[in-house]
Amino acid sequence: MTDEQLAAVHRLLAEHHRKLAKESVLSVVQQYHADLGQRLADEAVLIPKRTAIVDRLHEREQQIAEDVGTNDDVPKRTPPDSDPSDGVGDT
């Protein structure tokens, strides 16, 4: 399912729940369907934005992985506190 299809389903459900809210007799049922319709409509708007964020994060992870892969030949430094010849901590 594409993002556009998913957003369309959310919009359709939002319209359906808003219609149910108008037809409801009890105020609690009206409020429930109105709130659910609004949440679905809000979610439909956020779907493309979230997809774009995930795509950017995925691209960044790939770039980091490529950078790490190209830096494998660089020697790693040992932390200074792990050097036994510095005399620190000797009694």
Side-chain angles (χ1 to χ4, degrees):
M1 179 176 284
T2 66
D3 292 339
E4 292 81 17
Q5 291 171 327
L6 185 59
V9 168
H10 277 75
R11 285 190 297 273
L12 179 68
L13 287 169
E15 291 173 21
H16 174 70
H17 281 281
R18 287 178 177 153
K19 180 181 173 217
L20 289 174
K22 289 178 184 175
E23 295 172 355
S24 298
V25 176
L26 296 174
S27 64
V28 68
V29 176
Q30 289 174 346
Q31 190 61 44
Y32 168 78
H33 285 294
D35 289 346
L36 186 55
Q38 185 59 49
R39 282 184 286 180
L40 288 165
D42 292 345
E43 192 69 25
V45 172
L46 294 175
I47 290 170
K49 293 177 184 180
R50 289 181 179 158
T51 301
I53 291 169
V54 169
D55 289 343
R56 285 195 306 268
L57 287 173
H58 183 66
E59 289 171 6
R60 184 170 182 167
E61 286 177 349
Q62 286 180 332
Q63 183 63 39
I64 290 171
E66 290 172 7
D67 291 347
V68 168
T70 59
N71 290 333
D72 283 343
D73 56 343
V74 176
K76 307 236 184 306
R77 289 184 34 199
T78 57
D81 59 349
S82 66
D83 185 10
S85 65
D86 65 1
V88 176
D90 293 344
T91 52

